[in-house]
Amino acid sequence: CSLFLGDQWLPMVPLMQLASIQAIVTLIAVPGDILVQAVGKPKINTAALAGFMVVFGVSILPFCGRYGLQGILLAMISGSIVAGMITLRYALKIVSLAVREFAVICVVPLLSAGLSGLLLTLVRANLGHTPSFIGFSILGIIATVSFIGCAFLVDSLVHAGVFAAMREVFGKLYKKS
């Protein structure tokens, strides 16, 4: 953050991290939201929103009192997780996908991102804390390569077929050009 915005923004880093987690949780539920709307079941989204509001309403005061502004985001994340679980439960029923099959689809990117994040944390700790554009670029390259490598490793362990699907998609794109 200090590389692009300056040191005065450093206190905002924890809030931005929590806001990023909130965005990820929300994005995971978006396909389910769209699906239940497309099949004409808006009551499911209403139930998910009600779940969000209950969890958010119950948790905001204790979280905000204990953690301040970060507590508000934690309450939002908690509510979004509940809303996402409600939506995804019904979306999986609509497409007749077992929870286990869905979990395998999610395992590859989540484990890959987790392993890649761990590797980046270790590399960043050894690079030092002086921000520079070159250091930032190196971390970006390491992140990309480590994510692809971890995705390949996890995909080969769980036999999810992610890379076969990617080859198929990119093969079709290559043939069109």
Side-chain angles (χ1 to χ4, degrees):
C1 191
S2 64
L3 177 64
F4 295 108
L5 301 174
D7 289 336
Q8 68 270 21
W9 283 92
L10 286 178
M12 293 301 294
V13 170
L15 289 174
M16 290 189 291
Q17 289 171 331
L18 287 173
S20 298
I21 293 170
Q22 164 63 23
I24 291 168
V25 169
T26 302
L27 285 173
I28 290 171
V30 166
D33 290 339
I34 293 170
L35 178 65
V36 297
Q37 288 291 339
V39 298
K41 298 195 179 204
K43 289 181 181 180
I44 295 171
N45 282 344
T46 304
L49 182 60
F52 171 85
M53 294 304 293
V54 167
V55 172
F56 179 73
V58 167
S59 62
I60 190 162
L61 289 177
F63 282 177
C64 188
R66 181 164 177 117
Y67 302 109
L69 287 175
Q70 291 176 348
I72 295 171
L73 286 167
L74 288 171
M76 289 179 66
I77 291 168
S78 302
S80 294
I81 288 171
V82 169
M85 288 171 48
I86 292 169
T87 302
L88 287 176
R89 177 177 176 260
Y90 286 104
L92 291 175
K93 281 185 176 181
I94 290 169
V95 296
S96 301
L97 188 64
V99 175
R100 181 180 169 95
E101 293 169 329
F102 179 74
V104 168
I105 292 169
C106 294
V107 161
V108 174
L110 289 176
L111 282 178
S112 302
L115 290 171
S116 179
L118 179 64
L119 180 64
L120 271 178
T121 303
L122 294 173
V123 169
R124 186 171 179 262
N126 291 321
L127 283 179
H129 297 291
T130 309
S132 69
F133 185 74
I134 293 172
F136 183 75
S137 300
I138 290 170
L139 280 177
I141 292 168
I142 291 171
T144 303
V145 171
S146 67
F147 180 79
I148 292 170
C150 291
F152 181 73
L153 174 70
V154 172
D155 187 50
S156 65
L157 292 175
V158 298
H159 307 292
V162 173
F163 279 95
M166 288 173 59
R167 272 194 301 273
E168 182 180 328
V169 168
F170 288 120
K172 288 179 183 177
L173 290 175
Y174 181 74
K175 288 178 184 177
K176 286 182 181 180
S177 57

